[in-house]
Amino acid sequence: MKKFFSYYAPYKVLFTVDFLSAVIVGLLELLFPLIVSTFIDELLPTGNWQWILLAAAGLVVVYLFNTFMQFIVTYWGHMLGTNIERDIRNDLYAHIQRLSFRFFDNTKTGKLLTRLTNDLMNIGEMAHHGPEDLFIAVMTLLGAFGIMYYIHPELAIISFIIVPLILVIAIYFNKKMTVAFRELFGRVSDFNHMIGDKIGGIRLVQAFAKEDEALKEFKKINDRFRETKLKAYKIMSFNNSSTYMLMRLVNVFILIAGAYYVTIGELSYGDFAAFILISNVLFKPLEKINAVIELYPNGIAGFKHFLDTMNEKSDVTEREDAITLTDVKGNISYENVSFKYEEKNVLTDITFDIKVGETIAFVGPSGAGKTTLSSLLPRFYDVSAGKITIDGHDIRDLTLSSLRENIGTVQQDVSLFAGTLRENVAYGKENATDDEIYDALAKAQLKELIDSYPQGLNTVVGERGVKLSGGQKQRIAIARMFLKNPPILVLDEATSALDTATELYIQEALNRLAVGRTTLVIAHRLATIKNADRIMVVTKDGISETGTHEELLNLEGGIYKSLHQAQFSTI
């Protein structure tokens, strides 16, 4: 709760204005029954219409003022809740972005979407209504009892006996609702994940004619979601119904008992009317308390989910005294590097050096750890043992931003955003000019294609670049890299989706880009790396062979030679 209330700090003025307005509204609610009592007992018997109309006009003024106060409470109060919701969402998203690849490997996207949307909306509602409504409800409750006691002590005490019972019922159902809503939020996560997964892969679903199976799975999750939601609503309904009935019984009791006290002369007609009105005011704070108790499970479950995610620690962290990597030359050294992933050894005791401007290619069977070697360099994952240095600096001593700004990565699985071509290419350089973008596209063999589009750079690529071919998406990624112009390049199957003719053009462009830069290339197609300065064959036992293309081909019984023969045997 201390963490929750810390989000109110920037909005002290807004909270104070909203809170005081709510207090005034509550006090005026208590004032109305007293005005009615005075009106009936004091003004009506006089028959003085001038005073009656003047009092009515005054009452209208009070109503107008109260209406203005209620507007402030409703609008500014929700502004407060929305501001807090926004701040929490910003903190959560910022934290998620700092988590390592390992976290995303094991976390469903739907779960994160739920925590960023549905959970936080409930927190916003609780931030607005929780403290304010609870305080005003207690204040109004005590104030109403005080006025009822002033009018008729015995009737007030008898009427108030029901209040603790209503609160006990509300607290009892609150515990049940907390459990129900936690389960409900879990269902929402599954629901969002399934929708994102199936709609994102709709082409695969349709290609395999699996629409019926997908619909069946959707209905199953949807039904579970419905059942969990109904379970929560059932508990809520029991709570509302029981408290409603108890309140109505109190109303009936007040009517009977009040009528009795009027007939024996202990209660005037005005006081009786005021007592009935104030009893309705008494029920409003009870309803508010009930509403807060219903809201609490939603909000607190959402906030606990928020804290759970915020408590996730990245296994890739930046040291407090981390230095900024500048004037990068490109000397890279892997020293006795080992890496475990979920207790499985992926790399063991790997050692090699890469000199400034060298192009080093990694080849070998799938799953041997080639991509892992390149992923360790920008610290997408951290080594389990050993160290990696750039120009003599241990990469763990560097700020993550400066490290990654100096490394350009083109991966096999290209990530594009659902924006325009300009936005996707310019991701490689902030505030890039159109001339710079066109230059990068030309180097990536894409300028003619872009010019053929009616909207040019403003052409929307669709979600995940769905409107582009695989080769076009990879060339967009390569264009980004020309724009970023980093001193160190990592090319992970960067030309794997290109046709042979285009691949030759791209290979020439990449060769030009690699001049004077340190380049790590992961490749399965050996023709693309025959001009590398050195080729390292990576197997499950580590780096088994090292040499140039010609040197490795001359190794009798060598792994590289076997791979080469397997690829070119048909030719």
Side-chain angles (χ1 to χ4, degrees):
M1 295 309 293
K2 183 180 178 182
K3 176 69 175 174
F4 176 71
F5 284 114
S6 69
Y7 282 97
Y8 285 85
Y11 307 107
K12 290 176 183 176
V13 173
L14 185 60
F15 176 75
T16 302
V17 171
D18 171 51
F19 196 82
L20 290 177
S21 299
V23 169
I24 292 170
V25 169
L27 291 173
L28 289 176
E29 287 288 333
L30 294 173
L31 184 63
F32 292 140
L34 295 178
I35 294 173
V36 170
S37 175
T38 304
F39 192 88
I40 293 173
D41 284 343
E42 304 296 334
L43 284 180
L44 283 184
T46 66
N48 188 332
W49 276 97
Q50 184 178 354
W51 281 103
I52 290 172
L53 291 175
L54 192 62
L59 193 58
V60 170
V61 171
V62 174
Y63 277 133
L64 286 172
F65 178 70
N66 200 36
T67 300
F68 176 69
M69 289 291 102
Q70 285 182 334
F71 175 83
I72 291 177
V73 171
T74 303
Y75 180 68
W76 285 25
H78 279 102
M79 185 191 295
L80 172 68
T82 303
N83 288 350
I84 290 173
E85 178 187 334
R86 177 201 59 192
D87 293 348
I88 292 174
R89 185 175 285 115
N90 285 341
D91 287 352
L92 181 58
Y93 188 74
H95 181 72
I96 288 171
Q97 286 200 124
R98 289 192 294 267
L99 294 173
S100 68
F101 280 24
R102 197 185 295 264
F103 170 79
F104 297 102
D105 292 342
N106 298 297
T107 305
K108 294 178 181 178
T109 304
K111 180 180 179 181
L112 295 177
L113 284 173
T114 301
R115 295 193 173 182
L116 282 164
T117 53
N118 191 65
D119 285 4
L120 296 190
M121 284 189 279
N122 290 319
I123 292 172
E125 283 298 300
M126 187 176 74
H128 167 213
H129 292 289
E132 173 192 297
D133 283 7
L134 197 58
F135 178 83
I136 303 304
V138 172
M139 182 198 75
T140 309
L141 197 66
L142 295 175
F145 177 73
I147 294 171
M148 291 169 75
Y149 189 86
Y150 172 77
I151 294 172
H152 198 282
E154 291 178 19
L155 189 56
I157 292 170
I158 297 170
S159 302
F160 214 73
I161 289 174
I162 199 72
V163 172
L165 180 58
I166 292 173
L167 293 176
V168 167
I169 291 171
I171 292 168
Y172 169 75
F173 283 114
N174 166 259
K175 291 179 179 178
K176 287 184 171 293
M177 279 192 292
T178 301
V179 176
F181 276 106
R182 280 182 191 168
E183 185 181 348
L184 179 62
F185 288 164
R187 297 291 187 207
V188 172
S189 295
D190 293 340
F191 195 71
N192 286 342
H193 176 71
M194 188 269 175
I195 292 172
D197 198 37
K198 296 303 179 187
I199 292 179
I202 192 66
R203 286 163 179 76
L204 182 65
V205 173
Q206 292 181 355
F208 281 83
K210 295 290 186 181
E211 292 91 341
D212 290 342
E213 286 85 346
L215 180 59
K216 194 179 294 182
E217 185 180 350
F218 176 84
K219 286 181 176 178
K220 187 177 179 181
I221 292 176
N222 202 17
D223 284 341
R224 284 205 300 264
F225 179 61
R226 171 186 172 274
E227 288 166 8
T228 307
K229 204 167 187 179
L230 286 177
K231 179 181 175 183
Y233 286 145
K234 187 176 183 180
I235 297 168
M236 190 185 299
S237 299
F238 273 122
N239 182 29
N240 290 342
S241 300
S242 55
T243 53
Y244 173 84
M245 189 61 200
L246 286 170
M247 289 175 185
R248 299 293 81 82
L249 286 174
V250 172
N251 265 337
V252 173
F253 171 78
I254 289 173
L255 285 172
I256 296 170
Y260 169 74
Y261 286 120
V262 169
T263 57
I264 64 174
E266 285 191 19
L267 202 62
S268 69
Y269 286 106
D271 285 345
F272 184 37
F275 204 96
I276 293 172
L277 290 174
I278 203 72
S279 68
N280 287 324
V281 173
L282 174 71
F283 294 144
K284 284 185 179 179
L286 289 176
E287 289 169 355
K288 274 186 178 293
I289 291 172
N290 217 17
V292 170
I293 287 174
E294 286 178 10
L295 190 65
Y296 179 80
N298 290 342
I300 207 65
F303 197 71
K304 283 183 177 178
H305 286 165
F306 161 73
L307 290 178
D308 287 344
T309 306
M310 292 296 288
N311 289 331
E312 287 282 352
K313 302 296 182 186
S314 176
D315 57 329
V316 176
T317 55
E318 192 174 279
R319 291 174 179 169
E320 289 184 9
D321 57 347
I323 61 174
T324 301
L325 181 63
T326 57
D327 301 321
V328 178
K329 296 179 177 62
N331 284 300
I332 299 173
S333 179
Y334 281 61
E335 301 176 21
N336 306 112
V337 169
S338 296
F339 178 71
K340 282 185 176 182
Y341 189 82
E342 295 180 351
E343 303 306 316
K344 180 184 177 183
N345 287 321
V346 180
L347 299 170
T348 305
D349 201 26
I350 301 294
T351 299
F352 61 84
D353 295 315
I354 306 175
K355 297 176 183 176
V356 176
E358 265 196 311
T359 296
I360 304 297
F362 298 94
V363 300
S366 297
K370 302 185 298 298
T371 297
T372 302
L373 276 172
S374 66
S375 296
L376 293 174
L377 185 61
R379 292 190 70 195
F380 294 147
Y381 302 92
D382 257 346
V383 298
S384 303
K387 68 176 181 177
I388 301 172
T389 64
I390 295 177
D391 295 342
H393 300 292
D394 188 328
I395 59 174
R396 290 169 295 190
D397 294 332
L398 306 172
T399 62
L400 286 170
S401 59
S402 68
L403 172 65
R404 291 169 183 174
E405 282 168 3
N406 285 286
I407 299 173
T409 304
V410 181
Q411 296 173 318
Q412 182 178 5
D413 184 16
V414 177
S415 293
L416 295 183
F417 300 108
T420 63
L421 284 166
R422 175 186 282 103
E423 291 166 346
N424 274 285
V425 177
Y427 207 71
K429 181 183 178 182
E430 192 176 357
N431 301 321
T433 65
D434 280 2
D435 288 340
E436 289 174 317
I437 293 172
Y438 273 118
D439 182 58
L441 289 168
K443 290 175 180 175
Q445 304 292 323
L446 267 179
K447 188 176 183 301
E448 290 183 7
L449 177 69
I450 303 305
D451 289 340
S452 70
Y453 293 143
Q455 293 179 306
L457 289 176
N458 293 319
T459 302
V460 176
V461 302
E463 189 175 5
R464 300 176 187 172
V466 71
K467 295 182 180 180
L468 302 175
S469 70
Q472 289 167 348
K473 286 192 284 187
Q474 281 202 317
R475 280 181 279 173
I476 291 289
I478 292 168
R480 280 180 188 163
M481 214 46 56
F482 278 111
L483 207 55
K484 184 176 181 180
N485 200 23
I488 298 172
L489 291 173
V490 176
L491 307 175
D492 187 354
E493 295 289 343
T495 61
S496 64
L498 304 178
D499 58 83
T500 305
T502 306
E503 183 180 35
L504 292 174
Y505 287 118
I506 296 296
Q507 201 60 52
E508 289 176 10
L510 289 174
N511 289 339
R512 289 197 302 272
L513 182 64
V515 172
R517 306 172 199 276
T518 305
T519 306
L520 287 72
V521 182
I522 291 94
H524 282 106
R525 291 159 71 168
L526 303 185
T528 63
I529 47 95
K530 64 182 180 181
N531 294 323
D533 295 310
R534 274 185 293 157
I535 298 170
M536 297 186 184
V537 181
V538 183
T539 66
K540 63 180 181 179
D541 298 319
I543 296 175
S544 300
E545 297 172 5
T546 302
T548 63
H549 175 71
E550 289 76 15
E551 288 171 348
L552 293 178
L553 283 182
N554 291 327
L555 283 178
E556 286 300 325
I559 300 171
Y560 183 81
K561 185 175 183 179
S562 299
L563 291 171
H564 190 272
Q565 288 174 343
Q567 285 192 18
F568 295 97
S569 59
T570 304
I571 298 175

